[in-house]
Amino acid sequence: DLVVTGSPNYALINQIQLRIKDNGSTPLTVNFGAIGIIDNPAEGFCSITFDDGWDSQFTEAKKKMAEYGFPATAYVIKANADTTNYMTTAQIKELQDLHGWEISVHHETNLTTVSLAEAEDRIIAEKEWLLKNGFGRGVDHFAIPNGAFDPTYLAMFKKYFRTLRTIAGTAETFPPADWYRLRVFSVLNTTTPATVATAVTDAINNKYWLILLFHKLVASPTVSTEYSITDFVTIIDDIQTQGIPVKTISQGILDG
């Protein structure tokens, strides 16, 4: 993960140095396939994403984000739709058709625990369910269940998706170092709005792609993937105040 110290003037940088350090016990070899210089995007921007399809994403997140016309990317699970505590198919459809959200692919099982053939069958079924129900805008994007990235599955995933999103990291660069391992800022029950506000400021100043990840919004969080509704409202208000553009994952790819 990139960490910027101070306020560098990128136009004045004419040298770089890479330092590799082992952990004190294991020799290592580092190979660089290539090193290149790319232009920064015109500005930093933010994507707000949600996992699993919890009903609070419709009742609470949509309600607040609609005040500013903010879209989101919701990675939903077909097995959760139309069940207790999760969004109905009609609600998911409303997010897409009336509020500009994109609906993307997720799954309830860590796919590294099943065979490659079984994993492929499952993601095909998830994608087909979205297409059958009219969710075409975000079907080329997949959130890896439990963030369990397995490079042996990568070639298969590339047949069906343009991006894979993890659950770890901080901010993403643009363009990303790896479209099939997008890094996110996971907002957990211990994450303060002030911490997120700092990440937003950093994204603006350093032209990052800040991908925020939320799960379930509740009045009083008790597990790590729940987040306070009150604090969520504070975060969305701060995003509006700071003025960072908010884009879906697809918009981020197209617009930069």
Side-chain angles (χ1 to χ4, degrees):
D1 290 331
L2 174 67
V3 177
V4 175
T5 301
S7 301
N9 182 341
Y10 293 100
L12 298 180
I13 295 175
N14 54 30
Q15 295 183 44
I16 63 171
Q17 181 183 74
L18 303 176
R19 176 177 296 174
I20 311 300
K21 183 178 180 181
D22 65 27
N23 64 5
S25 61
T26 305
L28 55 82
T29 299
V30 178
N31 298 298
F32 295 97
I35 297 176
I37 297 174
I38 58 174
D39 292 333
N40 277 335
E43 59 184 352
F45 59 97
C46 174
S47 293
I48 301 171
T49 70
F50 297 88
D51 276 5
D52 303 335
W54 294 99
D55 56 5
S56 60
Q57 295 166 16
F58 182 85
T59 58
E60 301 297 339
K62 178 264 296 182
K63 178 174 64 176
K64 181 58 186 178
M65 293 172 65
E67 293 181 15
Y68 304 119
F70 289 163
T73 298
Y75 294 87
V76 302
I77 300 170
K78 71 180 182 65
N80 290 348
D82 301 304
T83 65
T84 303
N85 297 324
Y86 293 94
M87 290 187 286
T88 66
T89 303
Q91 289 173 328
I92 301 170
K93 188 75 170 172
E94 181 177 327
L95 291 178
Q96 175 186 264
D97 295 348
L98 298 184
H99 300 282
W101 289 38
E102 69 180 10
I103 311 304
S104 296
V105 186
H106 200 19
H107 189 63
E108 72 271 22
T109 302
N110 180 340
L111 294 178
T112 64
T113 64
V114 301
S115 69
L116 181 60
E118 177 65 18
E120 184 167 13
D121 287 343
R122 293 188 184 193
I123 64 169
I124 289 173
E126 294 285 344
K127 194 166 184 177
E128 286 180 343
W129 180 83
L130 289 180
L131 291 170
K132 177 183 177 181
N133 285 281
F135 303 117
R137 190 179 303 157
V139 295
D140 291 333
H141 309 293
F142 182 60
I144 304 170
N146 305 124
F149 182 86
D150 186 337
T152 62
Y153 287 41
L154 191 55
M156 181 270 289
F157 284 132
K158 286 184 175 181
K159 293 193 296 183
Y160 302 101
F161 303 109
R162 293 184 65 189
T163 68
L164 301 183
R165 204 220 67 216
T166 66
I167 59 172
T170 50
E172 184 55 88
T173 55
F174 193 88
D178 188 348
W179 288 102
Y180 290 92
R181 206 167 182 174
L182 292 181
R183 294 168 289 186
V184 302
F185 185 115
S186 290
V187 184
L188 304 176
N189 65 333
T190 55
T191 307
T192 66
T195 300
V196 179
T198 298
V200 171
T201 302
D202 288 344
I204 293 171
N205 291 340
N206 298 297
K207 300 181 180 179
Y208 291 156
W209 183 8
L210 178 64
I211 304 175
L212 298 174
L213 169 60
F214 296 90
H215 290 80
K216 186 178 183 181
L217 302 180
V218 298
S220 301
T222 58
V223 298
S224 64
T225 53
E226 293 179 342
Y227 198 67
S228 160
I229 296 169
T230 300
D231 287 347
F232 177 81
V233 167
T234 300
I235 288 171
I236 299 303
D237 283 339
D238 177 72
I239 288 172
Q240 169 68 12
T241 299
Q242 293 206 53
I244 191 171
V246 176
K247 304 179 182 184
T248 64
I249 298 296
S250 292
Q251 290 169 338
I253 291 174
L254 294 174
D255 301 340

